[in-house]
PDB file of all heavy atoms in Angstrom:
ATOM      1  N   ALA A1278       8.762  -3.473 -19.272  1.00  0.00           N
ATOM      2  CA  ALA A1278       7.771  -4.079 -18.334  1.00  0.00           C
ATOM      3  C   ALA A1278       6.856  -2.968 -17.902  1.00  0.00           C
ATOM      4  O   ALA A1278       7.250  -1.818 -17.743  1.00  0.00           O
ATOM      5  CB  ALA A1278       8.578  -4.593 -17.161  1.00  0.00           C
ATOM      6  N   GLY A1279       5.635  -3.362 -17.574  1.00  0.00           N
ATOM      7  CA  GLY A1279       4.602  -2.430 -17.215  1.00  0.00           C
ATOM      8  C   GLY A1279       4.641  -2.066 -15.696  1.00  0.00           C
ATOM      9  O   GLY A1279       5.363  -2.732 -14.931  1.00  0.00           O
ATOM     10  N   VAL A1280       3.883  -0.973 -15.386  1.00  0.00           N
ATOM     11  CA  VAL A1280       3.829  -0.510 -13.976  1.00  0.00           C
ATOM     12  C   VAL A1280       2.388  -0.220 -13.640  1.00  0.00           C
ATOM     13  O   VAL A1280       1.644   0.325 -14.531  1.00  0.00           O
ATOM     14  CB  VAL A1280       4.672   0.794 -13.835  1.00  0.00           C
ATOM     15  CG1 VAL A1280       4.308   1.483 -12.501  1.00  0.00           C
ATOM     16  CG2 VAL A1280       6.164   0.528 -13.910  1.00  0.00           C
ATOM     17  N   VAL A1281       1.990  -0.660 -12.506  1.00  0.00           N
ATOM     18  CA  VAL A1281       0.610  -0.342 -11.994  1.00  0.00           C
ATOM     19  C   VAL A1281       0.750   0.621 -10.849  1.00  0.00           C
ATOM     20  O   VAL A1281       1.518   0.412  -9.904  1.00  0.00           O
ATOM     21  CB  VAL A1281      -0.124  -1.636 -11.463  1.00  0.00           C
ATOM     22  CG1 VAL A1281      -1.505  -1.252 -11.045  1.00  0.00           C
ATOM     23  CG2 VAL A1281      -0.146  -2.720 -12.565  1.00  0.00           C
ATOM     24  N   LEU A1282       0.082   1.773 -11.014  1.00  0.00           N
ATOM     25  CA  LEU A1282       0.047   2.769  -9.886  1.00  0.00           C
ATOM     26  C   LEU A1282      -1.419   2.894  -9.479  1.00  0.00           C
ATOM     27  O   LEU A1282      -2.294   3.113 -10.238  1.00  0.00           O
ATOM     28  CB  LEU A1282       0.508   4.157 -10.387  1.00  0.00           C
ATOM     29  CG  LEU A1282       1.930   4.383 -10.746  1.00  0.00           C
ATOM     30  CD1 LEU A1282       2.196   5.793 -11.259  1.00  0.00           C
ATOM     31  CD2 LEU A1282       2.826   4.066  -9.550  1.00  0.00           C
ATOM     32  N   SER A1283      -1.633   2.825  -8.135  1.00  0.00           N
ATOM     33  CA  SER A1283      -3.013   2.935  -7.663  1.00  0.00           C
ATOM     34  C   SER A1283      -3.011   3.854  -6.355  1.00  0.00           C
ATOM     35  O   SER A1283      -2.011   3.893  -5.666  1.00  0.00           O
ATOM     36  CB  SER A1283      -3.590   1.567  -7.389  1.00  0.00           C
ATOM     37  OG  SER A1283      -2.833   0.848  -6.442  1.00  0.00           O
ATOM     38  N   CYS A1284      -4.161   4.501  -6.221  1.00  0.00           N
ATOM     39  CA  CYS A1284      -4.385   5.316  -4.998  1.00  0.00           C
ATOM     40  C   CYS A1284      -5.875   5.252  -4.705  1.00  0.00           C
ATOM     41  O   CYS A1284      -6.666   4.669  -5.509  1.00  0.00           O
ATOM     42  CB  CYS A1284      -3.970   6.705  -5.327  1.00  0.00           C
ATOM     43  SG  CYS A1284      -4.930   7.521  -6.544  1.00  0.00           S
ATOM     44  N   GLY A1285      -6.307   5.760  -3.554  1.00  0.00           N
ATOM     45  CA  GLY A1285      -7.728   5.875  -3.276  1.00  0.00           C
ATOM     46  C   GLY A1285      -8.372   4.598  -3.086  1.00  0.00           C
ATOM     47  O   GLY A1285      -9.625   4.511  -3.253  1.00  0.00           O
ATOM     48  N   ILE A1286      -7.653   3.537  -2.792  1.00  0.00           N
ATOM     49  CA  ILE A1286      -8.345   2.235  -2.399  1.00  0.00           C
ATOM     50  C   ILE A1286      -9.170   2.555  -1.141  1.00  0.00           C
ATOM     51  O   ILE A1286     -10.290   2.058  -0.942  1.00  0.00           O
ATOM     52  CB  ILE A1286      -7.334   1.159  -2.161  1.00  0.00           C
ATOM     53  CG1 ILE A1286      -6.657   0.694  -3.431  1.00  0.00           C
ATOM     54  CG2 ILE A1286      -7.981  -0.062  -1.344  1.00  0.00           C
ATOM     55  CD1 ILE A1286      -7.515  -0.048  -4.394  1.00  0.00           C
ATOM     56  N   HIS A1287      -8.610   3.470  -0.311  1.00  0.00           N
ATOM     57  CA  HIS A1287      -9.416   4.045   0.781  1.00  0.00           C
ATOM     58  C   HIS A1287      -9.679   5.562   0.367  1.00  0.00           C
ATOM     59  O   HIS A1287      -8.769   6.290   0.122  1.00  0.00           O
ATOM     60  CB  HIS A1287      -8.607   4.048   2.120  1.00  0.00           C
ATOM     61  CG  HIS A1287      -8.424   2.611   2.572  1.00  0.00           C
ATOM     62  ND1 HIS A1287      -7.113   2.129   2.914  1.00  0.00           N
ATOM     63  CD2 HIS A1287      -9.206   1.582   2.635  1.00  0.00           C
ATOM     64  CE1 HIS A1287      -7.206   0.859   3.285  1.00  0.00           C
ATOM     65  NE2 HIS A1287      -8.479   0.458   3.115  1.00  0.00           N
ATOM     66  N   GLY A1288     -10.951   5.905   0.240  1.00  0.00           N
ATOM     67  CA  GLY A1288     -11.304   7.116  -0.455  1.00  0.00           C
ATOM     68  C   GLY A1288     -10.971   8.396   0.265  1.00  0.00           C
ATOM     69  O   GLY A1288     -10.953   9.468  -0.326  1.00  0.00           O
ATOM     70  N   ASP A1289     -10.627   8.313   1.551  1.00  0.00           N
ATOM     71  CA  ASP A1289     -10.262   9.586   2.308  1.00  0.00           C
ATOM     72  C   ASP A1289      -8.782   9.806   2.375  1.00  0.00           C
ATOM     73  O   ASP A1289      -8.359  10.726   3.076  1.00  0.00           O
ATOM     74  CB  ASP A1289     -10.900   9.484   3.671  1.00  0.00           C
ATOM     75  CG  ASP A1289     -10.502   8.279   4.489  1.00  0.00           C
ATOM     76  OD1 ASP A1289      -9.843   7.416   3.925  1.00  0.00           O
ATOM     77  OD2 ASP A1289     -10.779   8.201   5.657  1.00  0.00           O
ATOM     78  N   GLU A1290      -7.968   9.030   1.600  1.00  0.00           N
ATOM     79  CA  GLU A1290      -6.556   9.237   1.726  1.00  0.00           C
ATOM     80  C   GLU A1290      -6.110  10.201   0.619  1.00  0.00           C
ATOM     81  O   GLU A1290      -5.591   9.775  -0.431  1.00  0.00           O
ATOM     82  CB  GLU A1290      -5.834   7.871   1.682  1.00  0.00           C
ATOM     83  CG  GLU A1290      -6.243   7.010   2.884  1.00  0.00           C
ATOM     84  CD  GLU A1290      -5.714   5.578   2.892  1.00  0.00           C
ATOM     85  OE1 GLU A1290      -5.091   5.182   1.912  1.00  0.00           O
ATOM     86  OE2 GLU A1290      -5.912   4.946   3.922  1.00  0.00           O
ATOM     87  N   THR A1291      -6.362  11.394   0.852  1.00  0.00           N
ATOM     88  CA  THR A1291      -6.326  12.412  -0.204  1.00  0.00           C
ATOM     89  C   THR A1291      -4.932  12.757  -0.691  1.00  0.00           C
ATOM     90  O   THR A1291      -4.742  13.117  -1.859  1.00  0.00           O
ATOM     91  CB  THR A1291      -7.017  13.736   0.272  1.00  0.00           C
ATOM     92  OG1 THR A1291      -6.427  14.125   1.535  1.00  0.00           O
ATOM     93  CG2 THR A1291      -8.482  13.548   0.434  1.00  0.00           C
ATOM     94  N   GLY A1292      -3.869  12.729   0.149  1.00  0.00           N
ATOM     95  CA  GLY A1292      -2.527  13.112  -0.212  1.00  0.00           C
ATOM     96  C   GLY A1292      -2.092  12.219  -1.445  1.00  0.00           C
ATOM     97  O   GLY A1292      -1.735  12.830  -2.489  1.00  0.00           O
ATOM     98  N   PRO A1293      -2.109  10.904  -1.329  1.00  0.00           N
ATOM     99  CA  PRO A1293      -1.742  10.048  -2.472  1.00  0.00           C
ATOM    100  C   PRO A1293      -2.610  10.280  -3.708  1.00  0.00           C
ATOM    101  O   PRO A1293      -2.095  10.181  -4.797  1.00  0.00           O
ATOM    102  CB  PRO A1293      -1.802   8.638  -1.899  1.00  0.00           C
ATOM    103  CG  PRO A1293      -1.698   8.783  -0.470  1.00  0.00           C
ATOM    104  CD  PRO A1293      -2.289  10.090  -0.117  1.00  0.00           C
TER     105      PRO A1293
END
Side-chain angles (χ1 to χ4, degrees):
V1280 167
V1281 181
L1282 289 178
S1283 56
C1284 65
I1286 290 291
H1287 297 131
D1289 56 353
E1290 296 175 356
T1291 52

